[in-house]
Structure formats: C-alpha cells, structure tokens
Amino acid sequence: MSSDSGKPGSRRDFLKLAATAAAVGPFFLFPARAKAQKKTLKTLKIAKWAHFVPEHDAWFESVLAKEWGRQHDTEVIVDRIPVEEISARASAEAAARRGHDLFMFPWPPAEYRRQVIDHAEIYQAVSFRHGNVDRLGHKSTFDPQTKKYFAFADSWMPAPLLYFEDYWRAVNMPLGPLHYGSLRSGGQRIRAKLGIPCGLALAPSLESNVTLHTLLHAFGSAVVDAGGDVVLNRGARTVAALQYVKALYQDAGAPEQLSWGPAGNVRAMLGRKTSCTTNAISLLRAAEKENPEIAKKIRLSPPLLGSAGVRAIPHVTNCSAVWSFAENGEGAKQFLSDLIDRSKDVYETSQGCNFPIFQKTVPDLIVRLEKDPRGDPPYKYKELKDALHWTANLGFPGYANPVAMEAFNSFVIPRMFMSAVTGKLSPQDAARSAEAEVKRIAEKWRQAA
Amino acid sequence: MKDKNNPAPSGAVVFALGALLLLLLIAPFSRLSAQSQPATSNGFLNFPEFNPPPFDFNDAFYTENGIDVSVLDTPGAARFGLFRQTGPPARDGQVNWVVDHSNNDPDRNDIRILATTGGYIDDGTGAPTQFISILAFLLDQSFFTGVANARGIQMADIISHFEAYAAPRQVDSHGVFAGTACGSMGDGSTPCFPVTSVATPTLRQDWRFAANRNPIDGSAPFGYFCDDTLGAWIITYFWYTSTGFGPHQTSQCHQMLAALGNKNGLTLDGSPIIKTADELNFLEGTVVGSNPIPGFLGTNPPDPPCTAEGQEDVGGADGGAVWLICPALPDPRNGAVAQDAFLDQVRKPSGLPIDLGITANFLCLKFFGAFCNELSPAQQAAARSAGQ
C-alpha cells in the first residue's frame, strides 16, 4: 500500500530523502566550510603542476574547477605551473607564508611538512565513501615521526618501459629486453645494427630522476633505508648500478642523452631516435595523437628485472598540500575531498595516465586497460594492470621523508649517475660523493627537528 | 604442527646416510608404478597417494599459454618426451622420462617425468624441500608466440617474476677459478665460466627456486602456483666474483665466506653453498636488514661484493637457456614423487651428493610420502631399522 501524501514523513520517506541527499552530494562537509557556504563568494587559489596531457588541465580548469566553484559559491583560480618550476614556486610560497591555498605536486612534498596542515581529516572524510588510502598513497604522504599526513594523494602514474617493437625484434627481442642485462646487450646490438641508441634519461630532469631511482631500486640500493638512515653507499649496489649505467651508455647510448632537458627522452622517442625509454604513458598518448604509425610500434612492458626484482617508482604521485597559511583552507580541503568523487573523470581526461589511489573509484580499470580506445592494438596497455604491485613510493623502502624528497628534488641521483657516465668521477667516488650530499641533507633535517 | 619448510631435523646427516642405505636396499624392488604400489609389512610405502606424479604439458596447453610448440619441439629446447630420455640428469641405467598412459589431467600428455631436480626453497629458511621437473629449455624470445594467455597476460612477463637460481661451476678441470660469466652477463674479463648449459654436471651447487613469490605479500604481482601455469622460470645465474673467491679474494670476503661455509657446507668448487636470498643479496653488497651469516661480526655488506648475478640475453646471444619450463611439484608428498623417480642433484666425483638434506627429503617423500620431519615415530624407527 502506498503512503498517504498528507501524512508526516514515514521512515521510508526519510530513507528516500536521505538517499536522494546522498546521491546529489556533497557527501561530507568540513564543519567550517558548512557554516561559510551561504556567505559571500570566496576564492580558492590552486597551484597545479602542468599535466603532460594538456586536455586534462583544460578539463580541470574549465570544467572541474568551475563546477566545484559554482556548487560552493567560490571563485576557483587555477595556476598551471611547469613541472620544472614546481619546487621553486612551492619553496617561495612556503618561505613567504603566502600564495595559493592548495598546491598540487607531482611528487610527495615531504619537505613542507611544517608548512602544511595535517591532511588526515581529508583521508578520513574520503574513506567513508571510497575506502582507505592505499599503500602507495599512504607511504607517499604520511610522516611516521609526527604521525601526520603532510599531503593528500589522489592519483599516480606508473613508469613502465616503452620500446619500439620493430627495433627490438631486429635483435630477436620482440617482447622487449625484460631485464637490465638484455637492455644492455640488446641495446648494444640495436645501436650496432640500426644506429639507434638506447634512450634512458640521464641528465637531471623528472624523467631521469624516475628512471634512475627505478634502476637504483632494481639493483637493490636505496637513498635511505626503512628507518630513514642514509644507505646510498652502504654496500656495493649503488656502485654496481653506476657501473652498469656507465657500461650501458658506452655500449648502447648516445651523447645527446647527456644534454636532454625536460621530456628530452619523450621527444627522442617520438622522433624514433631511440629504441626505448622509461616514462609515463603520456609519451604513448602523445604519439597516438601526433603520429599513430609511430604509436603502433611502441610497446609497453613492466619495469626491467634487476637483482632486487621488478621494481619502479611512480612517474608522478599526485600529492596535494593545503598550506597552513592558506586563506581558504576549508575550501581547499573540501575541494580535495570532492576531487576523489571525480577520480573516474581524472582517469578519463588524463587519457589513462592517472591511476586512482582509491581503487574503488575506477572499478573497471583492468577492463579499460585491456580494451583501450586509443591503443593499437587495444590490449597494449594491459601491461600496466599490475603496476601497483611493482611500483614503490619515493623514499622506498621507507616513507617519502624530507631527506629522500630533498635529494630527489635536488637531483642527487641523476647528478651522481652523470658524473660517473661522463667520467668526471669513478663510480666509487660518485657514490661516495652523492652519499655525502644526502648525509648533509639528513643532518640539516635532523638539526631542524 | 610441523612445518614442511623447515630443514631436515638435527641429525639429518645421520638419518640421510641411513636413508641412502635404505635406498640401496629397496631400489631393486622399487620399479613399481606409483599408482599401484602395495603396502609392505614393515610400514614402508603404506601412505595415502593423492598427489599425481609430474607429466609434461600437452601441446594445446603450451599454445594457450603463449609458447610456440614448433620451436619447443626442436633439439635446442630438449623437451622431455622427444629428447633427453637418457643422459644427464639420468645416470647409468636411468631414464629421464617414460610414456605412461595413466595421466588424467587434460592439460598434460602421457610423458611422465622421472628426473626430479631438488633444490632450496626461497622462503628464507634455505630448506631443501623444493622439487621440480625440468621439461624444456627456452633459449630466446622466439619460443613465445607473443600472444597473451587467456587472462590477457604475456607469459614472458609472468615468468620474469619467478627466478630459478643456477650456480655454474667456476673452477675448471685445471683448477683455474673464473670470477665472471662468459657472454653478456660478464664483465668481459678472462678467464670466464661458460653459461651455455645448466645441466647438473655443470653446476657447483643445487638450485634455489623462488616459488614462494606471490601478490599477497607483495613479493610479486603473480603467484607461482596461481599464475605461472607452465611452472616456468627465468634462470638467474649467480657466481662468486674475482674479489669474492679465488686468488684475488678480499679479506672481507674471505672472512664472510669462511663463516658461510661453516654454516652451509661447500660447493664442488670449494666455495660456500648459498641457500637463501638474503645470503646471496648480502654477499652481492645489498643491505638486507640483518646479517644472514651467523658467526660473522658486522652488518655492512661487503664492498666490493663477493658475488654477482645475472640473466642470459633474451635474444639468445649467449647460447644457453634463458628460461626453464620446469614446474615445481605443488606438494611433493603423498605420491607426487613416484617409486621410479630419481633425484637429480649435484654430486661429488665420488657420486655422493653435496647436500644430503635434499637426498634425505627425496627418499622420505619417495618411500613415506612425507618430508623427513613429518615422519611418525614408527616410520622413523622403521627407517632406522632398515638403515642398520
């Protein structure tokens, strides 16, 4: 029997109302934000690293930010910042204690843990709707010393190996090199046979940072250990990695690698001037857009097997920090919380580059990877289906701590490799010098604590 | 509950010698089919059999899993059923495989494997409890069709997560030690040791198999017994470097290897047996948390390293096997090691095994259907009695 229209709300009506309210959202309002919502128009200033897929930024600014602003009576201002300028801009804002409300980094901003809020309440709010943060997000944004989250991670990009199938087929490796030994021996034969070098990024840049940290971990080394102690030159693995890269460069590399700027490896791949590289799949997306014939020849594979197994760090860990001096901190927190509701859109507009930190938000990720609408063949991207298993956070085997991240942002690892590859230092001296530099960073942070 | 992964119990050597004697006593009568063996009056062989012995996969299954059977059936792959019925690992009077129509697994054929290769489990204990059947060798990527399996995964990607650690001999017949591998794995110096074969007579110690890797503990995206449907491995060769062993050994390596040799025993080269991942990684110069070599003071790994590891060129340039199709017995107990199976393990020139723990477990599995440390007091008493 249906309920009478004039009757006071029954339990069923209440549940319907609640369900409707839940469906239209927002699901969670930070208390101060709720109070402020009906007052004057506010402003939310966001600094965002410039995405490798420009369509994503266009969507972020003209759709996401505008929609969110309308819903929350807020003018959202998004400033797009080139990746290579992120550190300087963030540092300047932290020093001046003034700038944007929300700063979106392509890596964990552990160095700013004293200038940001504890982001635990955002994770908590999101967990009600989408479950807990995953291992990668947690270890990228949690500070075990203070027990606070210095940032909020919403998505990340895997860093697979990309290689030209036809080049590697020419040396009987159509499935790619699979391990570091074959990268060198196969790369050597490709260069000898076809005149095409192997193009790992070496000169300081985001790409070389990711490539060489990945290689370092695959060789069983790390910048800091799980306890945060500097272990870069403890043992012999860093020297082994340095000797390997030096030999790889000599056997299969090219001088231009040493002068590549940001995205130099991407341009080399798009020009078919290198046989392989490590990068986000944005490289392949650019090829699909600019030259489908080239894209067709590019294949993906998981990171190469090293003595410590198959392991990589993310190309990007999208970590957002709300400054403690933010003028609209409540709005920033709300924005981040609501951003997770749009993870599917983030995945779509980034053309599959941004994998969700909250797995449930893109539940059909595997299916999408198996049937990519732009991929040729469409199953090309399924090599990424286990990316979360082989991807470790920056700061591995520990957390992304200030020492590891300052070392990352000051390009200690790429500079160490460059000095060995160019012969400026022996591998042993390069490792010693880099470790001394990281130890100085560690000492600085120890004193600051 | 007893742990099947634990090494043989104390007194294992004494027990193993007894078991060896037992083998000699029983061997002439042990050609019975694994499916039809009777119980004997003294309790031997009286165990339930529910694990099948190993058979080769059939062609359809290889194809479904991305292997090109036309390449697999060539002499280089040395697939059981077509090649290698005699010769290593089989010794005089033995055969590596037989035709047996008792198979009822639709993914397998009628080639039953008798050669049972023993090795160390990769769970950190170094226990001699892993047993596999080396069905074929994959020499380069032409063995893969490039077609993903039914789950959309390239078999080569799966296999790369499962390493079988092979230890080639480094001391040649003239007693000359080679501290690097020949081919792409090596540093180009000489002398170098060949990596064109992993036949048992070319090894200095027994294998270690990383069958324990799985996605649950994060050690791999795949599980060996779940996803590696062919039970295949990528071969990781490991060796002592020129500063790790031989005339140019550093004092640091000398000290560490002496301690490890006391713990694990020695290979055919006279170098220490390496049983666990931590031991190898530590000697390679990796920080592994705690020192895995008891008796050696200090936690820093050696620098320069005492050992190294590598894999063959996946294009086949090194001339040896890159991968092995050699499924581990999921549970070697209760019939999986048949009565006519024989143990493939590294032996001294005298014929005695270098690790009697592997021998003991094989015999326990063969005659009692259980690991040695799982035997009942009555079985142990029977074994002791038979050994006297």
Side-chain angles (χ1 to χ4, degrees):
Chain A
M1 195 175 101
S2 60
S3 63
D4 296 333
S5 58
K7 278 175 76 174
S10 65
R11 183 171 175 274
R12 180 176 294 178
D13 292 333
F14 174 77
L15 289 174
K16 277 184 185 170
L17 183 65
T20 308
V24 297
F27 292 87
F28 180 90
L29 280 179
F30 289 89
R33 176 80 199 153
K35 282 182 194 169
Q37 208 170 33
K38 289 186 179 176
K39 294 180 182 173
T40 56
L41 187 70
K42 287 200 144 200
T43 301
L44 176 64
K45 289 178 285 184
I46 300 174
K48 182 186 179 304
W49 63 276
H51 202 280
F52 313 124
V53 176
E55 290 86 346
H56 172 72
D57 280 341
W59 168 81
F60 189 94
E61 292 162 24
S62 60
V63 179
L64 177 71
K66 282 201 162 37
E67 280 180 10
W68 189 89
R70 271 198 300 276
Q71 287 168 2
H72 295 84
D73 299 324
T74 302
E75 182 191 8
V76 182
I77 300 167
V78 181
D79 290 322
R80 208 185 302 179
I81 301 171
V83 168
E84 51 272 24
E85 293 176 23
I86 283 285
S87 286
R89 291 286 294 271
S91 181
E93 290 194 13
R97 295 190 60 78
R98 194 175 52 180
H100 297 86
D101 301 301
L102 177 61
F103 211 105
M104 304 183 93
F105 294 83
W107 49 69
E111 310 102 293
Y112 303 108
R113 60 182 179 177
R114 293 183 186 283
Q115 288 90 24
V116 297
I117 65 164
D118 181 0
H119 296 72
E121 62 177 312
I122 309 175
Y123 278 122
Q124 193 175 11
V126 169
S127 71
F128 294 136
R129 309 194 300 276
H130 302 294
N132 283 331
V133 60
D134 70 5
R135 170 189 53 83
L136 179 61
H138 174 70
K139 294 194 81 171
S140 297
T141 57
F142 185 68
D143 179 357
Q145 284 185 349
T146 62
K147 311 289 183 201
K148 292 176 181 174
Y149 286 94
F150 55 77
F152 177 79
D154 69 277
S155 59
W156 65 286
M157 290 186 195
L161 183 84
L162 297 105
Y163 66 96
F164 279 105
E165 193 265 352
D166 55 339
Y167 289 160
W168 287 86
R169 182 178 289 281
V171 293
N172 205 24
M173 298 184 188
L175 303 177
L178 297 177
H179 58 75
Y180 280 100
S182 285
L183 177 71
R184 181 183 165 199
S185 57
Q188 187 177 19
R189 293 206 297 283
I190 289 174
R191 193 180 72 174
K193 193 172 180 180
L194 307 173
I196 302 293
C198 167
L200 295 192
L202 299 176
S205 65
L206 173 64
E207 291 79 18
S208 64
N209 238 342
V210 172
T211 301
L212 297 171
H213 274 82
T214 289
L215 188 142
L216 202 62
H217 291 318
F219 271 70
S221 188
V223 178
V224 291
D225 67 9
D229 292 329
V230 179
V231 292
L232 184 55
N233 195 34
R234 192 174 153 209
R237 300 315 298 158
T238 297
V239 171
L242 286 160
Q243 289 168 334
Y244 169 82
V245 172
K246 184 173 184 177
L248 176 69
Y249 174 75
Q250 288 169 345
D251 292 347
E256 52 266 31
Q257 278 176 273
L258 307 181
S259 55
W260 279 346
N265 63 328
V266 175
R267 286 191 293 277
M269 281 291 282
L270 295 178
R272 276 181 59 83
K273 290 176 181 168
T274 183
S275 62
C276 63
T277 199
T278 296
N279 207 82
I281 61 164
S282 52
L283 185 161
L284 196 40
R285 294 309 192 189
E288 286 163 358
K289 187 177 168 185
E290 294 170 16
N291 192 333
E293 279 308 305
I294 286 183
K296 199 173 176 178
K297 291 171 180 161
I298 298 176
R299 290 283 197 274
L300 300 170
S301 85
L304 299 171
L305 171 69
S307 61
V310 177
R311 190 172 289 155
I313 61 160
H315 194 87
V316 160
T317 317
N318 203 47
C319 297
S320 303
V322 180
W323 295 122
S324 55
F325 49 82
E327 291 175 4
N328 188 4
E330 292 302 318
K333 287 191 281 185
Q334 189 68 54
F335 182 86
L336 288 177
S337 174
D338 295 344
L339 177 62
I340 302 306
D341 300 340
R342 306 294 296 269
S343 285
K344 206 163 189 171
D345 294 322
V346 170
Y347 178 79
E348 299 283 5
T349 58
S350 68
Q351 300 180 3
C353 289
N354 286 50
F355 280 33
I357 287 286
F358 295 89
Q359 312 291 312
K360 293 177 185 172
T361 56
V362 188
D364 56 347
L365 178 64
I366 304 298
V367 176
R368 284 160 180 259
L369 291 172
E370 288 175 348
K371 293 177 185 169
D372 187 87
R374 297 179 186 82
D376 184 7
Y379 54 81
K380 180 183 282 186
Y381 289 92
K382 70 178 167 29
E383 295 284 345
L384 301 176
K385 65 190 278 295
D386 299 300
L388 198 56
H389 283 287
W390 40 254
T391 303
N393 58 290
L394 275 163
F396 174 83
Y399 290 78
N401 63 29
V403 178
M405 291 317 303
E406 186 172 334
F408 184 84
N409 286 320
S410 53
F411 301 108
V412 172
I413 300 304
R415 285 189 285 112
M416 173 182 76
F417 277 95
M418 281 287 278
S419 62
V421 166
T422 57
K424 188 176 162 191
L425 293 174
S426 68
Q428 289 78 5
D429 286 342
R432 265 193 290 274
S433 171
E435 184 180 66
E437 190 172 347
V438 180
K439 280 185 170 170
R440 281 195 294 275
I441 293 170
E443 178 60 21
K444 184 188 84 177
W445 282 102
R446 195 189 63 76
Q447 288 183 1
Chain B
M1 195 173 97
K2 288 175 182 174
D3 183 358
K4 72 173 181 177
N5 292 332
N6 281 343
S10 60
V13 173
V14 174
F15 176 81
L17 288 171
L20 272 173
L21 182 56
L22 172 66
L23 173 67
L24 293 174
L25 291 170
I26 294 181
F29 308 102
S30 64
R31 300 292 168 88
L32 296 168
S33 155
Q35 282 74 40
S36 60
Q37 62 192 27
T40 61
S41 56
N42 62 3
F44 294 163
L45 311 182
N46 188 16
F47 58 88
E49 293 184 25
F50 46 79
N51 289 320
F55 287 81
D56 187 14
F57 298 106
N58 60 38
D59 291 357
F61 193 71
Y62 277 119
T63 305
E64 283 169 11
N65 285 282
I67 299 296
D68 187 335
V69 176
S70 66
V71 185
L72 187 69
D73 286 351
T74 54
R79 180 184 178 187
F80 276 164
L82 294 175
F83 306 97
R84 289 191 298 148
Q85 188 157 28
T86 57
R91 296 189 294 163
D92 290 345
Q94 294 176 325
V95 290
N96 290 311
W97 51 269
V98 293
V99 176
D100 182 341
H101 299 294
S102 68
N103 169 52
N104 54 14
D105 182 339
D107 296 330
R108 307 262 180 170
N109 61 19
D110 287 343
I111 302 301
R112 185 162 61 83
I113 314 304
L114 308 190
T116 307
T117 303
Y120 304 106
I121 194 169
D122 195 34
D123 63 354
T125 64
T129 54
Q130 202 77 65
F131 294 93
I132 65 159
S133 315
I134 301 184
L135 302 178
F137 305 95
L138 307 185
L139 308 180
D140 57 51
Q141 289 187 354
S142 67
F143 284 77
F144 296 94
T145 59
V147 177
N149 67 12
R151 293 175 54 204
I153 307 168
Q154 290 284 349
M155 187 51 75
D157 290 341
I158 295 176
I159 301 174
S160 289
H161 292 278
F162 301 105
E163 295 172 83
Y165 291 86
R169 288 207 64 169
Q170 295 183 255
V171 176
D172 69 13
S173 56
H174 304 292
V176 177
F177 170 77
T180 190
C182 301
S184 67
M185 274 181 277
D187 59 16
S189 63
T190 54
C192 62
F193 59 85
V195 286
T196 49
S197 171
V198 286
T200 307
T202 68
L203 302 180
R204 69 177 186 275
Q205 71 157 82
D206 293 291
W207 295 78
R208 173 163 59 89
F209 301 104
N212 59 320
R213 294 180 187 167
N214 64 79
I216 297 169
D217 66 7
S219 53
F222 306 104
Y224 178 78
F225 290 111
C226 319
D227 303 294
D228 191 355
T229 43
L230 294 175
W233 312 85
I234 187 165
I235 304 174
T236 294
Y237 298 77
F238 65 101
W239 61 89
Y240 287 96
T241 60
S242 55
T243 51
F245 193 69
H248 305 296
Q249 185 183 43
T250 63
S251 59
Q252 196 180 25
C253 288
H254 177 80
Q255 196 179 357
M256 288 180 178
L257 267 55
L260 187 62
N262 283 337
K263 179 189 167 200
N264 289 348
L266 300 179
T267 70
L268 295 182
D269 288 347
S271 53
I273 293 172
I274 295 173
K275 294 184 177 180
T276 70
D278 272 0
E279 288 168 358
L280 178 61
N281 292 338
F282 184 76
L283 292 173
E284 279 178 5
T286 306
V287 178
V288 295
S290 59
N291 187 345
I293 307 176
F296 175 74
L297 298 176
T299 57
N300 279 344
D303 183 11
C306 309
T307 59
E309 66 178 78
Q311 294 86 19
E312 298 228 345
D313 178 283
V314 296
D318 292 324
V322 185
W323 300 275
L324 295 172
I325 295 182
C326 52
L329 299 178
D331 181 355
R333 299 174 295 181
N334 297 95
V337 176
Q339 293 306 300
D340 53 357
F342 68 88
L343 178 61
D344 167 28
Q345 70 175 139
V346 177
R347 294 168 189 272
K348 297 173 185 172
S350 64
L352 277 176
I354 63 164
D355 191 330
L356 288 167
I358 295 174
T359 321
N361 268 325
F362 177 80
L363 293 172
C364 290
L365 290 163
K366 181 168 172 172
F367 296 116
F368 300 100
F371 288 102
C372 295
N373 62 354
E374 295 175 313
L375 294 180
S376 69
Q379 286 171 314
Q380 290 183 33
R384 279 195 297 272
S385 169
Q388 286 170 357

